[in-house]
Amino acid sequence: MAAAAAGARINCFLNPINPLNSTRLTTHLHFRLSKKTFSARASANDPFVLTTPLYYVNAPPHMGSAYTTIAADAIARFQRLLGKTVIFITGTDEHGEKIATAAAANNSSPAQHCDLISQSYISLWKNLDIGYDKFIRTTDPKHEAIVKEFYSRVLNNGDIYRADYEGLYCISCEEYKDEKELLENNCCPTHLKPCVARKEDNFFFALSKYQKRLEETLAKNPNFVQPSYRLNEVQSWIKSGLRDFSISRALVDWGIPVPNDSKQTIYVWFDALLGYISALSDDMEQPSLGRAVSSGWPASLHLIGKDILRFHAVYWPAMLMSAGLGLPKMVFGHGFLTKDGMKMGKSLGNTIEPNDLVHKFGSDAVRYFFIREVEFGSDGDYSEDRFINIVNAHLANSIGNLLNRTLGLLKKNCQSTLVIDSSTAAEGTTFKDTVEKLVEKARVDYENLSLSSACEAVLEISNAGNSYMDGRAPWSLFKQGGDASEAAAKDLVIILEAMRIIAIALSPVTPSLSWRIYGQLGYSKDQFDAATWSDTKWGGLKGGQVMAQPQPIFARIESQTEEEKRVQAPEAPKKVKKNKLPKPQQVVEA
Ligand code: MSP
């Protein structure tokens, strides 16, 4: 066992990440698992278990934290459409120095503080239409029991030992840092705050013992880390030599006591990672590691930001190996939402309030914008102008307007009733082939976690629909009467069938907008909820189906004028005129 000597200096091995690298993920999500390394093979009946990180409760959520959860929700909804049993896990990471300090700063006890902030995550997830299955808090007694059991198992396997620790600690990262990676004055490059010198007597996890097995695992399962360019980072960390890491804190009270030394608490990362397993534990049963594992472990997918890749792709698999548990099938490290090029974060205070965005623009717009505009894996900058332009062009115009004007024509000329089955209407048209190709592309993109491309493919269907509509001009065919009028009625069926397919194919990203589309097509909420991906097959709409009264499904967002932006800015509070803010959303005319 390396580094067992007292006073050993433990170095970090984090390499700087190249933010310019934006290779697209093209690999298929399903990959072959080696029997040796992964304890369970994926089978068709396995649940699809996906996780977001467990968010620190030092402060309420911001748009950066919401981003992972929105993406996870879209993936979960897509997998459910495929007919998979999904267990979507999220939660909050509530122990450690950073949380205790935040609680003290708010004149609150850590427990009260955690209750409050954890609740703010739950309420944001509701506002964003996040349909998680499990919400785990690391202060939950069932979690604590499972962490202790896991710790004892690793201890019994001889992978935990005692030693002195000395190094520079970033409290915001909750991590000892290597001096080489720090900026001037020992500042953490992520949080731009000085790290503090620490020396303590700790328990260590023998990570170095697992170097070879980790190398082999990654070599055999290159899809374990995604996007593929992040695998190189992970491999080079491992290659540069794994050092054992401290898994206890002598100076932190707010944590789970170490089973073999109650004066110390378990390091917050060793504790929190186990939330992915304890979340699976049934509340009605006595918590046990074995029972939790048998309820869905190993996870199919850990979605995380790139800053916490080392914990998930190096520490976590080694911990699992030590405890004799299976490894997750994939860890996907996405990029950052940035503001002026800097990672948006609580520490830098350059965040966007997601509840404000939802309040102003609605959850579909927020979800769509970040999924569509930020290529999953790469960084993406937010600007309100861009947000408004994209959402108006795609959701209000291309999709909303097309549906609205088609339903308007159907109402005027066909009493809102389809004259023919959509399969018959589309015979001999190339439009149907275009839709089929695009929807298949969207499916493959969703499976590959190319979420932005999936949205793009769906939007192309509506663009093709608009071109079809403009090319055919059914409004003038109706005026001609006779055969021309019949052809026009068929054209409307064709467009509405495309809208039905769009509604399902975009529902992972815009669930509530998709339901509004479905409702306009004369379906009930139960029918919408029962839809599966196989319903994206052409031919669902039948002759005789009566459409609902045409109503705009997505309100166009009006840009604020410069004057309105100025009066809203915090530096000009005196000029705020209550009755001028904000302009009411206006409705798109068909
Ligand atoms: N508590 C740990 C995770 C433990 S998981 C067992 C943690 N929490 S965090 O609240 O700091 O961050 C949670 C996630 O939010 C991370 O994946 C992080 O990358 C992500 N984001 C925080 N700011 C972000 C952006 N500005 N942009 C995108 N994601 C970002 O780390």
Side-chain angles (χ1 to χ4, degrees), residues 53-122:
L54 307 187
Y55 299 98
Y56 282 132
V57 291
N58 56 322
H62 58 82
M63 199 53 232
S65 18
Y67 176 62
T68 325
T69 314
I70 293 172
D73 188 59
I75 295 165
R77 285 175 188 272
F78 170 71
Q79 290 291 333
R80 288 190 199 109
L81 278 179
L82 291 186
K84 276 271 181 187
T85 301
V86 171
I87 307 179
F88 170 14
I89 296 170
T90 189
T92 42
D93 184 353
E94 307 191 358
H95 288 132
E97 183 172 359
K98 165 153 120 171
I99 310 304
T101 309
N106 289 328
N107 292 323
S108 186
S109 72
Q112 278 171 335
H113 173 85
C114 290
D115 286 349
L116 191 75
I117 305 287
S118 186
Q119 191 52 48
S120 69
Y121 277 90
I122 291 174

Side-chain angles (χ1 to χ4, degrees), residues 53-56 62 64-65 67-68 93 98 121 269 272-273 276 304-308 312 334-337 343-346:
L54 307 187
Y55 299 98
Y56 282 132
H62 58 82
S65 18
Y67 176 62
T68 325
D93 184 353
K98 165 153 120 171
Y121 277 90
W269 270 100
L273 286 161
Y276 298 144
I304 55 164
K306 63 185 179 181
D307 53 334
I308 55 174
H312 286 80
H334 64 69
F336 290 151
L337 299 189
K343 180 192 175 201
M344 197 184 282
K346 300 164 206 166

Side-chain angles (χ1 to χ4, degrees), residues 55-260:
Y55 299 98
Y56 282 132
V57 291
N58 56 322
H62 58 82
M63 199 53 232
S65 18
Y67 176 62
T68 325
T69 314
I70 293 172
D73 188 59
I75 295 165
R77 285 175 188 272
F78 170 71
Q79 290 291 333
R80 288 190 199 109
L81 278 179
L82 291 186
K84 276 271 181 187
T85 301
V86 171
I87 307 179
F88 170 14
I89 296 170
T90 189
T92 42
D93 184 353
E94 307 191 358
H95 288 132
E97 183 172 359
K98 165 153 120 171
I99 310 304
T101 309
N106 289 328
N107 292 323
S108 186
S109 72
Q112 278 171 335
H113 173 85
C114 290
D115 286 349
L116 191 75
I117 305 287
S118 186
Q119 191 52 48
S120 69
Y121 277 90
I122 291 174
S123 87
L124 175 63
W125 300 156
K126 186 163 184 282
N127 295 342
L128 278 167
D129 284 330
I130 305 293
Y132 56 81
D133 299 291
K134 306 271 184 187
F135 189 97
I136 184 72
R137 297 180 58 184
T138 58
T139 48
D140 187 323
K142 77 176 180 188
H143 172 77
E144 299 197 9
I146 284 172
V147 171
K148 284 181 177 163
E149 192 183 338
F150 184 94
Y151 184 99
S152 302
R153 209 192 261 203
V154 174
L155 181 71
N156 293 339
N157 284 350
D159 285 341
I160 293 179
Y161 63 92
R162 195 165 199 148
D164 280 343
Y165 201 120
E166 185 173 9
L168 289 165
Y169 196 72
C170 171
I171 299 168
S172 295
C173 292
E174 289 281 17
E175 186 184 21
Y176 277 94
K177 297 284 184 184
D178 186 341
E179 263 173 63
K180 283 202 292 283
E181 67 184 281
L182 299 179
L183 307 174
E184 239 178 83
N185 299 325
N186 291 332
C187 276
C188 163
T190 308
H191 297 99
L192 305 180
K193 285 183 186 160
C195 295
V196 287
R198 286 277 162 86
K199 184 176 179 184
E200 51 180 319
D201 164 33
N202 284 167
F203 290 96
F204 284 80
F205 172 66
L207 179 67
S208 54
K209 237 170 102 171
Y210 292 92
Q211 167 139 2
K212 198 150 182 301
R213 274 181 72 186
L214 283 170
E215 272 170 359
E216 285 168 5
T217 301
L218 292 179
K220 281 191 197 136
N221 304 281
N223 287 344
F224 177 63
V225 177
Q226 289 292 336
S228 51
Y229 49 87
R230 300 217 191 282
L231 174 67
N232 303 337
E233 290 163 33
V234 173
Q235 282 175 321
S236 70
W237 294 333
I238 298 174
K239 209 166 156 213
S240 70
L242 292 186
R243 315 267 180 138
D244 300 348
F245 68 98
S246 154
I247 54 164
S248 72
R249 294 290 179 267
L251 306 173
V252 178
D253 292 337
W254 181 240
I256 302 175
V258 169
N260 55 334

Side-chain angles (χ1 to χ4, degrees), residues 420-486:
I420 190 172
D421 289 358
S422 53
S423 49
T424 318
E427 273 166 18
T429 68
T430 54
F431 179 68
K432 176 188 161 208
D433 301 338
T434 306
V435 173
E436 280 172 347
K437 274 188 201 129
L438 287 168
V439 85
E440 174 56 10
K441 181 178 182 309
R443 186 191 64 77
V444 172
D445 286 336
Y446 276 126
E447 287 220 343
N448 289 340
L449 309 185
S450 299
L451 304 178
S452 171
S453 301
C455 292
E456 199 178 321
V458 180
L459 195 82
E460 274 184 50
I461 300 179
S462 66
N463 291 341
N466 277 296
S467 303
Y468 184 85
M469 182 86 150
D470 294 343
R472 298 282 303 160
W475 49 91
S476 47
L477 294 176
F478 277 123
K479 281 186 196 143
Q480 290 169 32
D483 288 353
S485 188
E486 261 180 45

Side-chain angles (χ1 to χ4, degrees), residues 410 413-422 425 478 485-493 542-545:
L410 194 81
N413 299 287
C414 313
Q415 290 86 46
S416 292
T417 306
L418 304 186
V419 296
I420 190 172
D421 289 358
S422 53
F478 277 123
S485 188
E486 261 180 45
K490 271 190 191 176
D491 288 335
L492 300 187
V493 174
K542 304 289 182 213
Q545 170 125 342

